[in-house]
Amino acid sequence: MANRSELREKAMTIIYQISLYKKNKIDFNVDEVIKENLEIDNEFVKDMVYGIVTNYDELTTLANEYLNNWTIDRLDLTGASILRMAIYEIKYMDTPPIVVINEAIELAKKYSDDSVRKMINASLDKMVNS
């Protein structure tokens, strides 16, 4: 069974793919995208993905609010996916914010560059402490 970190990584991959489809105005089926990326059914990943897709615009607005003089669409798609995911998890799930921030930073270290990691860290800090 995958641990939460691995599940977040799966969710990030799915959100990344969906963001790519949205950006290029390609129709997609959320269930199909989940199935393509998930070997076994997982509630955590599904809840996260559906929640992010449902609240996509709100998460974008929140991200832009907390990013300093920057917008989420200027981040690389991976960084943007990590940020949307973290904001969603802080706002709608009961994971402690410190855990969410640490997980987001770990994903950013692995998949984004240092400047993106710093922006994610700063904006999540700002969100949690405002």
Side-chain angles (χ1 to χ4, degrees), residues 8 19 32 58 60 79 86 101 119:
R8 278 188 190 87
S19 300
E32 290 303 313
E58 182 207 8
T60 300
I101 294 171
M119 277 190 265

Side-chain angles (χ1 to χ4, degrees), residues 1-16:
M1 187 62 210
N3 66 31
R4 277 285 162 97
S5 298
E6 292 163 338
L7 294 173
R8 278 188 190 87
E9 202 165 325
K10 287 280 185 207
M12 180 205 74
T13 307
I14 297 166
I15 295 304
Y16 169 85

Side-chain angles (χ1 to χ4, degrees), residues 15-77:
I15 295 304
Y16 169 85
Q17 220 171 324
I18 288 172
S19 300
L20 203 58
Y21 291 148
K22 278 178 168 294
K23 191 179 174 180
N24 296 306
K25 297 177 176 41
I26 297 168
D27 285 335
F28 62 91
N29 175 307
V30 179
D31 280 327
E32 290 303 313
V33 184
I34 292 172
K35 261 189 217 119
E36 285 163 23
N37 289 285
L38 213 55
E39 297 76 36
I40 46 157
D41 224 23
N42 183 275
E43 280 313 302
F44 177 77
V45 174
K46 273 181 157 165
D47 290 351
M48 182 94 92
V49 171
Y50 272 102
I52 293 165
V53 170
T54 306
N55 299 286
Y56 201 85
D57 295 339
E58 182 207 8
L59 297 172
T60 300
T61 304
L62 281 171
N64 290 340
E65 205 177 297
Y66 297 114
L67 280 165
N68 234 351
N69 305 316
W70 203 261
T71 55
I72 193 165
D73 56 13
R74 290 172 69 191
L75 291 178
D76 62 285
L77 273 185

